[in-house]
Amino acid sequence: MTKDVIALTERMPDAPSVLAGLLAGGPDLRVETTGEGAVIQLCDAGGRPLVSIEAPLMLQVPGEADRLLGPGAAPAGDGPAWWIEARATTGVPEAERLAGAFAARLTMLLGGRVWPPDAPGTTGAARPVDVSGVTAVPVPAAAQPAVDMLTDQAAIVLQDRPVVPMTSWLSEVLRATVESDRALQIVTPPHCRLSLATRLLLQSTPSRWVVQDERCGYYDGLTGAVLRWQDGAFVPDRGEDGETPVADAFAETARTEERQLVVSFRTQHRPEADLVLGGALEAAWRALTGGPPAGWGTAEPAGLAWSRRQLTDLAYRRAPEPTWTMAVGTPDRPAVATLRVERTPDAVEEDITLTLGYGPGEKPPLEALPALAGELVTGHGLKTMVCQLREARRDLTAPPRFERLPVPYAFVLGAEGVREAGRDRAGRPPLPEAPVRLGPDARPGFFYALGDGESAEGWAALETLIRHLRGA
């Protein structure tokens, strides 16, 4: 299993400090680069990578290191930190010690901390790790630095960290697997959880979270299906009756008072030269938390301070290809959003999912949703919005256990949707409560209450509403 070792430094890594870290294996190791120079690799005499080191990432967002690695991971102080991730190659114990020694040398020179603090190689890091005679397993030509095993069907990535984030490494693997018609399969021990971004992306692609289990071997961490290895990939283990059993560990769950508010919406804009994206997301964030997002990025950790202009510039450079980004909140109010910008023939569309976490005694601000919907209809080109409540963790991570589905609380139809459905039809739905009209009378939208967000009746109300709006 590959091992991740992360150096969180107080000062920016410079060339001498990185060189000192690279010499952790002595002067005889070969140094190669991949990913257009974004990844440095320490290699054996045959050129096979022992440790892959990603370019330093500046963390301008408070709480990101603790969110992904656990409390106390971030260096002391209020200033920014630099995140340097080293990944040791599978099945080579010396490679893991080499990664730890590299990280320890950086933190000795630049201040900061190593995660995990007990990583092999971090003690006595001033002495080079003896890698004489050590060779790594040959890497398939199509493999990425983060891939532990590559077959014709899947790219297997082994992870063992508190939260599996959608790092730039993992994001690149996901992109490569989709392009090569493979599945990404992340294998973890049972104590690991997925970040919200990782869970959402895995659910939207032919990917799988494979959890090791002492009772059944392996199971899917998102569905509970018992799995087995077959023809180069983990697949559902179907019994003689053709059914796939659910792992006992997945079904072992208890009720919780923690909640998540999930607000998913789509906006549409004219492709004008002065268009600045992210306004709808910022408006929703302010309405539900009292302030803007703390940071954003194209992967986790989200290291950039929130900037709509930078977000727009990125989407403009990548057009006409779609752009996926994420935004994060402050430690006192867990909030994560994913935002996908897509250029269509007639418009620029933003597809946004904002999720906020609440603990026992904390109430989601449901009363703010009608006003937010009105603002989005009037000023941000809202097409549709669905608001849901979910009994799930406040920290927004996904455990390998059953979690109840979110329950619809409200639905919003924007002005264009009202025009397509017909104003009379949209304004008189077969629901107990009359809808709230939003925006100007000439081009209104409607806010539809669907229930209390707790009972399954919300799903029936949403289905009834959608069928009515479509004229079914």
Side-chain angles (χ1 to χ4, degrees):
M1 176 181 289
T2 52
K3 293 292 186 179
D4 301 332
V5 182
I6 300 168
L8 294 157
T9 65
E10 298 172 359
R11 299 190 298 278
M12 182 177 69
D14 53 12
S17 60
V18 173
L19 179 60
L22 294 175
L23 289 172
D28 298 328
L29 284 179
R30 295 176 55 176
V31 178
E32 305 285 350
T33 61
T34 187
E36 300 181 350
V39 177
I40 300 174
Q41 294 181 316
L42 290 174
C43 304
D44 62 17
R48 293 179 290 268
L50 295 168
V51 176
S52 298
I53 303 160
E54 197 173 43
L57 173 66
M58 183 180 180
L59 295 183
Q60 304 178 47
V61 184
E64 271 298 270
D66 290 350
R67 180 175 74 88
L68 300 176
L69 301 177
D78 299 329
W82 278 261
W83 175 297
I84 308 98
E85 189 156 342
R87 190 167 171 82
T89 297
T90 301
V92 184
E94 292 82 359
E96 186 178 349
R97 290 195 290 271
L98 182 58
F102 166 82
R105 285 191 173 197
L106 283 186
T107 56
M108 282 193 297
L109 294 170
L110 303 172
R113 296 175 179 172
V114 175
W115 183 93
D118 58 350
T122 55
T123 58
R127 300 188 303 274
V129 177
D130 184 9
V131 292
S132 57
V134 173
T135 59
V137 177
V139 178
Q144 304 292 322
V147 173
D148 293 282
M149 181 186 299
L150 187 70
T151 72
D152 291 339
Q153 287 71 41
I156 311 299
V157 176
L158 309 180
Q159 288 278 272
D160 186 359
R161 50 205 295 175
V163 177
V164 179
M166 185 50 62
T167 62
S168 57
W169 304 66
L170 207 53
S171 176
E172 178 62 20
V173 173
L174 184 61
R175 181 197 62 78
T177 55
V178 171
E179 291 180 353
S180 61
D181 292 326
R182 291 182 172 92
L184 169 62
Q185 299 192 334
I186 302 174
V187 183
T188 75
H191 61 260
C192 297
R193 306 187 306 277
L194 299 186
S195 74
L196 179 64
T198 302
R199 176 176 67 82
L200 292 176
L201 284 176
L202 289 189
Q203 289 177 325
S204 65
T205 60
S207 303
R208 192 181 298 278
W209 178 19
V210 182
V211 180
Q212 298 169 325
D213 182 70
E214 60 182 11
R215 287 175 283 186
C216 68
Y218 299 93
Y219 69 91
D220 189 306
L222 296 177
T223 68
V226 175
L227 306 173
R228 61 188 173 92
W229 180 260
Q230 178 180 312
D231 299 330
F234 287 96
V235 298
D237 186 5
R238 303 192 185 280
E240 296 181 358
D241 58 357
E243 299 293 329
T244 299
V246 174
D248 292 338
F250 182 81
E252 294 170 355
T253 185
R255 303 301 297 262
T256 176
E257 294 183 15
E258 295 179 289
R259 293 290 184 272
Q260 293 176 8
L261 172 60
V262 185
V263 183
S264 303
F265 53 101
R266 179 180 286 267
T267 63
Q268 187 177 67
H269 314 280
R270 293 180 180 177
E272 299 172 340
D274 58 350
L275 173 64
V276 180
L277 300 170
L281 175 58
E282 182 172 314
W285 213 293
R286 289 184 182 277
L288 299 175
T289 72
W296 76 287
T298 58
E300 292 178 297
L304 299 172
W306 173 249
S307 169
R308 291 178 57 195
R309 172 51 61 187
Q310 291 180 0
L311 171 66
T312 303
D313 291 344
L314 175 66
Y316 180 82
R317 291 196 302 270
R318 291 188 175 182
E321 295 298 317
T323 297
W324 182 94
T325 60
M326 62 171 298
V328 297
T330 56
D332 62 319
R333 171 52 58 221
V336 174
T338 60
L339 184 152
R340 189 176 189 270
V341 178
E342 186 172 10
R343 181 72 164 89
T344 67
D346 302 318
V348 177
E349 295 192 352
E350 296 175 287
D351 194 354
I352 300 165
T353 297
L354 169 59
T355 306
L356 305 100
Y358 302 89
E362 297 179 318
K363 293 184 178 181
L366 303 179
E367 68 284 352
L369 292 175
L372 167 61
E375 182 178 357
L376 296 179
V377 167
T378 303
H380 298 282
L382 181 72
K383 295 182 67 177
T384 59
M385 181 168 78
V386 180
C387 307
Q388 303 176 88
L389 284 173
R390 189 178 191 201
E391 183 180 316
R393 294 176 62 100
R394 181 182 187 271
D395 63 11
L396 308 183
T397 62
R401 303 287 185 271
F402 171 76
E403 288 190 312
R404 288 164 177 80
L405 292 174
V407 177
Y409 173 78
F411 178 80
V412 181
L413 189 65
E416 187 61 25
V418 171
R419 185 192 66 80
E420 293 175 358
R423 182 165 178 172
D424 288 342
R425 178 181 298 277
R428 294 182 174 85
L431 297 176
E433 294 187 31
V436 177
R437 186 177 63 80
L438 308 170
D441 188 66
R443 283 179 55 81
F446 286 101
F447 178 96
Y448 305 92
L450 301 176
D452 59 5
E454 297 288 342
S455 68
E457 295 176 357
W459 282 109
L462 179 60
E463 181 181 0
T464 298
L465 175 63
I466 296 302
R467 288 174 58 85
H468 171 77
L469 293 175
R470 290 176 176 173

